[in-house]
Every structure is written in structure tokens, then in C-alpha cells.
Amino acid sequence: MDSGPRPRDGASPGAASGAHPGLVRHTGGCHCGAVRFEVWASDALHVFDCNCSICVKKQNKHFIVPASHFKLLKGADNLSTYTFNTHRARHSFCKTCGVQSFYTPRSNPDGYGVAPHCLDEGTVRMVMVEAINGKEWEKAVGAHPTLRSMSTPDASPLGTEAPSHSK
């Protein structure tokens, strides 16, 4: 089975490659190991802590990447999907252990929301957490300066600063 891009000789497992310059290859998966993925993102993750009904119940903290930066390595046949309300968000989880390591967010249907706690150790330098008011989803997403663009492939990583919010 192809495990995706390989690091250059002498490079660390998460080292950047020409495919996604400036980004790090993170790997991760569910608890039982039936679902595995790779994702290219910054080593400084911008994580959203949403208070909508499902995110609160699941404690779903996640960072968003374009679909082109995500690759399911194994387990497609072991995923089940839950939708509700608008049915735009696709909450995928492992049929065996029940862990949701990634999903397709309503805010970014052309990308993935990835759970940072499901990443393998060793490639994340820091995590910045931003609360988002999912109880007032339309208002919060409409007012956010960068959320919708986070799933576009040419969106630049945020670096180490959280976005500013003007009222």
C-alpha cells in the first residue's frame, strides 16, 4: 500500500516537500488504527473550538485544510457518516472505535476539519485555539475574517498569530 509522500533523505518524518512548500506532513488516525490519513498543514495549528450542538457533545476541536492537502491512507470502508440539520457537514467516524479524526465542515465543504488530538506525535510545534460561536453559525462564519478561505489550496498558513477580530 502506498503510504503517501516520503520525506527527503535525512529529513524528519514531517519535513516539508515540494508538493506543499512551507507545510508539514502530519499523519494520524482513529483509536483502533483502522482509519489512517495524512494532512499537510503548518506545524503551528489554528484550531477552532466550536460551541454548536454537535461540537460540544463530541468536544470537536479541529483545524481546516483544503481537500488537496488531505489524503485518506486507509479505512474508507470502515467509515460511517452522520449528518443533521442542513446535511452539509459530513461527520465521518470509524465504525470500529467510533472516533471522528476528521470531517467535512459545513463552513468549508471543499476541505476537511481535522482533529489535532488524532495526529501522531512529533510534527506539531504549537496549537492556537480560537473559540467560534457555532450556536449562531451563520453570523459567526459571516463575520470571521479567514474561516471560509481556509479550505482554498492557495491560502497561506496563519503562522503564529491568531487572526484579529474587529467589532
Side-chain angles (χ1 to χ4, degrees):
M1 173 191 277
D2 178 23
S3 62
R6 305 260 189 263
R8 297 178 310 271
D9 290 340
S12 64
S17 81
H20 302 287
L23 301 180
V24 173
R25 179 182 179 257
H26 303 279
T27 57
C30 67
H31 183 260
C32 72
V35 175
R36 297 288 300 162
F37 62 87
E38 73 176 18
V39 61
W40 290 88
S42 172
D43 62 353
L45 300 178
H46 181 169
V47 172
F48 291 99
D49 184 4
C50 179
N51 68 349
C52 78
S53 62
I54 194 163
C55 286
V56 166
K57 296 272 186 191
K58 293 187 307 176
Q59 292 296 293
N60 181 30
K61 293 172 180 61
H62 59 279
F63 62 97
I64 297 171
V65 297
S68 63
H69 292 188
F70 181 90
K71 181 179 180 182
L72 184 62
L73 300 174
K74 76 173 195 174
D77 57 340
N78 209 53
L79 289 171
S80 189
T81 301
Y82 172 70
T83 66
F84 70 103
N85 194 10
T86 65
H87 302 283
R88 289 184 62 202
R90 303 193 49 79
H91 301 272
S92 301
F93 57 93
C94 175
K95 291 179 188 178
T96 304
C97 67
V99 169
Q100 174 186 290
S101 49
F102 64 91
Y103 79 112
T104 304
R106 179 178 167 196
S107 63
N108 296 79
D110 53 347
Y112 289 94
V114 180
H117 50 274
C118 290
L119 296 178
D120 298 333
E121 293 181 14
T123 56
V124 176
R125 180 176 50 86
M126 68 180 292
V127 175
M128 301 164 291
V129 179
E130 177 183 0
I132 191 154
N133 185 6
K135 289 181 179 178
E136 297 182 80
W137 190 89
E138 288 81 3
K139 182 179 176 184
V141 171
H144 197 280
T146 60
L147 182 62
R148 290 265 191 199
S149 66
M150 289 181 160
S151 60
T152 57
D154 56 353
S156 61
L158 291 176
T160 59
E161 294 183 26
S164 62
H165 297 280
S166 57
K167 296 194 180 220

